[in-house]
Amino acid sequence: MRFSLTTWNINSVRLRINLVAKFLKSARPDVLCLQETKCIDDAFPLKRFKRLGYEHVALNGQKGYHGVAVISKLPFETTDIRTFCDKIDSRHISVAFGEKAQLTKPLVLHNFYVPAGGDIPDPALNPKFEHKLKFLDEMKACEPLHPRGEDRHILVGDLNVAPHENDVWSHKQLLKVVSHTPIECEKLLAAQTYGEWIDVARERIPMSQKVYTWWSYRAADWTIGDRGRRLDHIWVSRALKESVTDFKITRDARSWERPSDHVPVTVTLEV
DNA sequence: ATGGTAGAAACTCTA
């Protein structure tokens, strides 16, 4: 069975619901994982998704900030929410697909919104950066994020770190910029390695090639110099490594009217 | 420790 999944930091789902609808009508992924929905669950535009054929929704929203959602054509067996760093921030939700979705073997999906970390890349001076580093450490230590053997797990989201040199437009110029400092890159890669996750983008695209999923709003024209970063990630467990059949970054979405600063990232698997 | 823009919400925070 073909299974496709998109992750997208939407930067307010209510403001950009028409862009989401445009994307879903054209790409038709089975599952959409959103980050930065920025609304409480009662304000989530559920009906619009149902009309688009996405009847199953798992929400972890909060007022004004953060917020993650899983929107699906396929039903879930279970959903779960985890907290990190003893904060109630809405930064994680997971769902499991199984028999109800006609899957013979279970598939577990984690959707993350890792703290951005503020501007100053020093945990002693900047509590937001300290929080980000601690969050990454807790992701590494989190037992449910350690798929083993035949476990079919997927981890997606805005991880707010561009870990490799060609995940940013200028490695040298971004070494002291939060999202690409050595310490956070090390911590993200440590979580990835310890959990034996496969980074789908870098499995499909050579390390020597620049890959971005985010372009700052703070540029008059985002296309000038192509100053992007790869902040949005799709990781799969080893049991799914050979199941990936396609990977796509919808770069066009950055040019849509009133866009998010992130674009959709989609994986297709044969499960 | 430049400033630039964007969103939610409320007169400021977060990214």
Side-chain angles (χ1 to χ4, degrees):
Chain A
M1 174 183 144
R2 178 185 166 279
F3 178 89
S4 58
L5 162 70
T6 297
T7 179
W8 193 7
N9 178 322
I10 196 61
N11 188 17
S12 173
V13 66
R14 288 178 296 172
L15 188 72
R16 279 182 248 287
I17 186 63
N18 289 337
L19 292 190
V20 178
K22 171 180 172 162
F23 175 79
L24 289 179
K25 283 177 189 169
S26 129
R28 299 299 302 164
D30 295 303
V31 180
L32 174 66
C33 292
L34 295 177
Q35 304 88 32
E36 280 206 272
T37 53
K38 290 188 173 178
C39 66
I40 58 170
D41 295 350
D42 285 348
F44 196 88
L46 269 184
K47 284 181 191 163
R48 192 71 189 277
F49 286 104
K50 292 198 172 169
R51 265 187 276 137
L52 288 159
Y54 293 79
E55 302 215 354
H56 310 279
V57 177
L59 298 175
N60 179 12
Q62 74 182 78
K63 189 178 181 182
Y65 306 104
H66 322 314
V68 289
V70 181
I71 294 132
S72 175
K73 292 200 267 186
L74 306 168
F76 315 129
E77 304 291 324
T78 57
T79 71
D80 187 36
I81 288 170
R82 302 193 70 85
T83 56
F84 293 80
C85 306
D86 299 318
K87 285 177 185 272
I88 53 154
D89 286 3
S90 295
R91 297 186 179 276
H92 168 268
I93 192 162
S94 64
V95 302
F97 297 98
E99 288 178 8
K100 289 181 191 168
Q102 317 288 348
L103 287 176
T104 48
K105 288 182 279 184
L107 195 66
V108 176
L109 170 62
H110 291 275
N111 179 16
F112 271 97
Y113 176 50
V114 172
D119 289 333
I120 305 158
D122 182 341
L125 297 176
N126 174 8
K128 294 199 198 93
F129 193 63
E130 183 187 29
H131 176 212
K132 182 180 198 176
L133 298 181
K134 187 157 180 268
F135 193 101
L136 293 169
D137 285 341
E138 286 192 20
M139 281 179 76
K140 181 186 173 187
C142 181
E143 177 61 28
L145 302 182
H146 303 155
R148 291 293 186 257
E150 293 305 303
D151 288 348
R152 306 200 305 171
H153 293 192
I154 307 177
L155 187 159
V156 306
D158 176 4
L159 304 186
N160 264 317
V161 180
H164 299 297
E165 287 199 21
N166 288 320
D167 292 340
V168 293
W169 63 276
S170 168
H171 171 62
K172 277 190 179 175
Q173 286 179 255
L174 287 167
L175 275 170
K176 291 180 180 176
V177 173
V178 171
S179 73
H180 192 63
T181 64
I183 186 159
E184 57 193 305
C185 295
E186 281 165 22
K187 287 183 184 294
L188 184 77
L189 292 175
Q192 186 189 106
T193 303
Y194 193 74
E196 299 183 18
W197 294 100
I198 310 296
D199 175 355
V200 171
R202 284 306 178 192
E203 189 68 19
R204 309 277 301 181
I205 305 167
M207 275 294 182
S208 57
Q209 196 174 322
K210 297 281 189 192
V211 185
Y212 313 134
T213 65
W214 173 92
W215 292 262
S216 174
Y217 283 127
R218 299 175 185 180
D221 181 343
W222 73 278
T223 63
I224 292 173
D226 195 19
R227 296 185 168 194
R229 305 178 201 169
R230 185 170 73 101
L231 303 180
D232 304 276
H233 299 265
I234 297 178
W235 296 352
V236 299
S237 60
R238 286 200 298 181
L240 286 172
K241 182 178 173 181
E242 309 302 330
S243 307
V244 176
T245 56
D246 198 18
F247 174 80
K248 191 179 179 197
I249 297 169
T250 307
R251 189 185 160 99
D252 288 359
R254 189 63 179 78
S255 296
W256 294 352
E257 196 179 342
R258 286 197 86 181
S260 169
D261 43 356
H262 297 253
V263 298
V265 181
T266 303
V267 69
T268 306
L269 305 107
E270 193 60 45
V271 296

